[in-house]
Amino acid sequence: MVRRLTLLQIDPIAAVAPSADLVAWSRLGSSYAPAELTAALESRTLIELRAMIRPAADLALYRAEMAAWPDSWDRSWREYRRDWVRANDACRRDILERLGSSGPLRSRDLPDTCAVPWRSSGWTHDRNVTQLLEFMVLRGEVAVAGRSGRDRLWDLATRVYPDDPVIPLDEALRIRNERRLRALGIACTRGPECPVEPADVGEVGVPAVVEGVKGTWRVDPTLLGQPFSGRAALLSPFDRLVHDRRRTVELFEFDYRLEMYQPAAKRRWGYYALPILYGDRLGGKLAATADRTAGVLRVDAVHQDIPFTKTMTAAVDQEIKDLGHWLELDLTPPRRRG
């Protein structure tokens, strides 16, 4: 499943369930157990790379890019980030030495000997060790070896990554674009810069026109003409189908955004609303919260973007029941909203 999707995104918000597990449940159903994902990470069949879970075999597609850092990353910020890492080379070497002798370690266990603090207008301000570790990941020097609770455990990349032959950069970028296009089905040729996981796919696939939508689109020709049988599904807000909010509006006419950081009075759909897929339509949102202390899945509302037929209502209700069963929680009755 992860190979077909190319990744599972890690996110700390788990109002219903951790996003990676929720994506897996959407695809595999209630037979999926989160312990399977944990086991795959512990055996390093899957590996964490920049808050994304990827097949370990795919690391060969990133190693050439790591070796070329900073020339291949974040062009608008390349010079500042390169200079900051160079200015703190002594701290970088301290970290490598500590991991080499005592790793895996949490970031808080590593020395902050940075000569120049990290400046940011966001939450990373003055988080010197954490920020330096992120750049050392980009350089292919360190890697996440596991987790202790929510804390990442850091180690030397040579101990974590498989020793597979490195794929040349141009070929690796093409393969990654091809896999991303197959996972998305349709994607833009060019899009805004997104360094962790781009939303565009370059020139792979074949060109396509979406009536009434601007831009140049690409599709995977192997997917054309294939039979389609849809079903109802409840999606994680970080599911790749809906992760690009502009794409969901343009292709599916589906208005959606996470509202967890908005005041409650301004939320239209809820703190952590799950997009509802039915057939080939994104037709609504499920406002729900897993209250594990009370042992219930609280279903606050089912928002209907399109009128639900009886068949659609029954299918969505069954998915909600399956979600409660998978979480081992009792259900509260849902309320319908147009």
Side-chain angles (χ1 to χ4, degrees), residues 4-24:
R4 288 177 66 94
L5 295 177
T6 72
L7 59 84
L8 291 176
Q9 182 170 342
I10 300 171
D11 189 84
I13 304 299
V16 175
S19 179
D21 289 321
L22 196 54
V23 171

Side-chain angles (χ1 to χ4, degrees), residues 235-254:
L235 305 179
S236 161
F238 298 97
D239 194 291
R240 303 311 293 178
L241 180 62
V242 296
H243 189 268
D244 185 341
R245 311 304 189 207
R246 179 178 176 180
R247 178 176 178 268
T248 60
V249 170
E250 292 179 334
L251 297 184
F252 300 101
E253 299 178 340
F254 184 67

Side-chain angles (χ1 to χ4, degrees), residues 99-142:
L99 291 179
S101 61
S102 305
L105 295 171
R106 300 169 300 179
S107 60
R108 70 183 75 172
D109 300 322
L110 295 167
D112 182 357
T113 57
C114 284
V116 178
W118 175 254
R119 301 301 184 194
S120 169
S121 59
W123 69 276
T124 61
H125 183 73
D126 271 344
R127 297 172 66 95
N128 301 327
V129 171
T130 301
Q131 195 62 32
L132 188 53
L133 285 167
E134 297 293 348
F135 291 136
M136 293 171 73
V137 168
L138 299 184
R139 292 165 62 100
E141 295 177 319
V142 303

Side-chain angles (χ1 to χ4, degrees), residues 53-129:
I53 296 171
R54 300 182 185 273
D58 283 3
L59 262 296
L61 298 170
Y62 293 86
R63 299 303 295 272
E65 190 170 41
M66 292 173 177
W69 192 89
D71 294 336
S72 60
W73 286 89
D74 302 327
R75 294 185 178 181
S76 59
W77 298 94
R78 181 177 60 196
E79 184 174 344
Y80 172 74
R81 296 182 177 190
R82 178 201 62 201
D83 292 345
W84 185 81
V85 172
R86 287 177 176 173
N88 292 300
D89 189 63
C91 183
R92 183 183 69 85
R93 293 179 182 277
D94 286 346
I95 289 173
L96 291 173
E97 182 177 352
R98 186 70 62 89
L99 291 179
S101 61
S102 305
L105 295 171
R106 300 169 300 179
S107 60
R108 70 183 75 172
D109 300 322
L110 295 167
D112 182 357
T113 57
C114 284
V116 178
W118 175 254
R119 301 301 184 194
S120 169
S121 59
W123 69 276
T124 61
H125 183 73
D126 271 344
R127 297 172 66 95
N128 301 327
V129 171

